[in-house]
Amino acid sequence: MHYALSWMTRKCGKPSMPYKEGPVSILIYKQRHRHPNYKKTPKGNYAHIGYIATRPGAVKNEGMRHGLFGKLEPGAVKEFDTWQEAARLVRELSYRRVNMYRGIISFSPETTAELGLSDHKAWEDYIDCHILTLAKFNGIRVQDLQWVAAHHNEKGHPHIHVVFWNKNQRTMVPFVHPSIPDKIRKQLIRDTFAERIKAYCEDKQQAKEHLSAITDEMIDEFEKYMEQLHPQEYRRLREAFGRITDDELGTSPLDSVIGAMKIAPFLSRLFALKEKMPKKGRLYYKLLPEDVKVEVDAFVAFLKENNEYIRNLVQDYVESKTRLAMLYDTDPTHIKEQQEKAVAEADKLIANKILDVIRTMLCKDREVQSFEYTEARKAYFTEQMICEILIALEQAAMSFDMEYDDRQKAMSTELSKAARKEWYLRHKDKGVEP
């Protein structure tokens, strides 16, 4: 990971703000990519696009259920109708061994305010101004560059994910030297923090003629100076950013999402439900007494009604499952049935995650006599339950999206509706029912 400072404006080029002593502006840049030769890389890259576009905390495009935007051709930044539009291209190019570079730029909340990054459009403008810096140091010419991005309004470290690649790449690049992200970081500082660096150097009575070009040494010295001025802010952001693990779908923490929730209503209902569980026997939904099932179902409904992230991901799950089923049958009655079936499946998934957490608590009760559930412990188990639900729904919906693309390609457009239905009936009993 690399750490830097930035005093950026919403316009490209030198900052318009005069130098003054004030809050530290911190920028962190992180970059990695999956090895192009790995068998799972194409699907992993596809899933990563869906993840950055739809995960809880992603700021959505207006009127859409995702936040993906970017440029696949010259012109203005485009907000995609669906994230799958870009993800399919990324996956196809990944099969051709094209590198998909994943970058993250993160700021402190104070810096975000200083830069005027107050809305979705501002973040679009920001990355559009600086994407060429990322491309240049990775050897991508402007005419070959394609990229997509999504902004995550995380508590404590707002950041933007960007995936960029060379659409005309001819040679596989399995390794990027660690100096590349460091050079990008320094160039971002050089482009956007020049006036403040110069003012700092002048304050140290360095000759003005030496300031015509900002050197790496100047940048390093300035960074150390600013870190010494505000060590706690550096440490806090470093810890927050260090938790971002974007290599695998669903591993990025949801603590900032959970932190924004009022969990008290969920907490009380979860522990009330725990007390109604059977004290003996296996704790599975299908084995519960009917009166307890009713209580679990009521809690599932309460979660969907009162948690927007769960509610939205259930809708994503239903839409993905229904779209997959419509490859074989577009009868309106059957589509309605598929939607109802998908809702029931999502509800069951949520119910089982609730029971998983309750099962953990009951085991703790048996292991430790008089186990005390402090308010902090109650909050912990409640947050764990919500995290498990969010991750499970997110991964399930993504799995259907990838399966949809695979089956659509396999079936081809030449298959008639009758042939598709015949294929579906032939495979239904082989574990491939949508």
Side-chain angles (χ1 to χ4, degrees), residues 214-227:
I214 298 176
T215 65
D216 286 353
E217 289 76 16
M218 284 183 179
I219 293 173
D220 291 339
E221 184 179 350
F222 182 69
E223 284 188 278
K224 291 177 181 177
Y225 166 72
M226 298 301 284
E227 183 173 359

Side-chain angles (χ1 to χ4, degrees), residues 46 82 84-93 323 404-405:
Y46 179 103
T82 67
Q84 291 91 343
E85 175 185 350
R88 283 191 287 267
L89 173 62
V90 164
R91 184 174 60 175
E92 183 63 31
L93 290 173
R323 192 165 67 112
Y404 171 85
D405 282 341

Side-chain angles (χ1 to χ4, degrees), residues 47-217:
H48 182 72
I49 298 298
Y51 165 71
I52 67 173
T54 63
R55 66 145 288 181
V59 179
K60 306 299 193 295
N61 299 328
E62 185 175 357
M64 301 182 189
R65 299 188 60 77
H66 71 90
L68 199 71
F69 59 87
K71 285 186 182 180
L72 301 182
E73 57 188 23
V77 172
K78 175 184 177 182
E79 294 183 350
F80 301 103
D81 292 334
T82 67
W83 64 264
Q84 291 91 343
E85 175 185 350
R88 283 191 287 267
L89 173 62
V90 164
R91 184 174 60 175
E92 183 63 31
L93 290 173
S94 296
Y95 277 121
R96 296 188 226 162
R97 307 297 191 268
V98 172
N99 286 63
M100 294 294 155
Y101 299 105
R102 304 177 183 183
I104 310 177
I105 302 173
S106 179
F107 299 107
S108 69
E110 295 79 8
T111 301
T112 303
E114 292 169 8
L115 304 182
L117 296 174
S118 57
D119 55 35
H120 196 49
K121 181 62 167 59
W123 282 94
E124 290 182 2
D125 292 344
Y126 166 76
I127 192 62
D128 190 27
C129 282
H130 297 283
I131 187 65
L132 291 183
T133 296
L134 280 61
K136 173 186 174 182
F137 285 99
N138 284 281
I140 304 175
R141 301 182 303 171
V142 62
Q143 60 266 39
D144 296 328
L145 174 65
Q146 292 181 318
W147 61 274
V148 297
H151 159 224
H152 292 182
N153 192 24
E154 293 281 352
K155 181 181 179 182
H157 59 116
H159 61 273
I160 188 166
H161 289 256
V162 57
V163 180
F164 57 100
W165 62 92
N166 181 346
K167 65 180 180 181
N168 293 316
Q169 180 180 324
R170 297 289 180 263
T171 304
M172 184 183 70
V173 183
F175 172 76
V176 173
H177 196 277
S179 66
I180 297 301
D182 189 54
K183 290 178 180 178
I184 291 173
R185 173 183 64 84
K186 290 185 177 181
Q187 189 62 48
L188 288 173
I189 298 172
R190 188 176 284 110
D191 290 343
T192 60
F193 215 163
E195 296 303 320
R196 203 164 186 195
I197 295 173
K198 288 180 179 180
Y200 161 71
C201 291
E202 288 174 4
D203 285 348
K204 295 197 67 177
Q205 299 180 342
Q206 294 188 14
K208 290 186 178 181
E209 58 266 23
H210 293 163
L211 298 176
S212 57
I214 298 176
T215 65
D216 286 353
E217 289 76 16

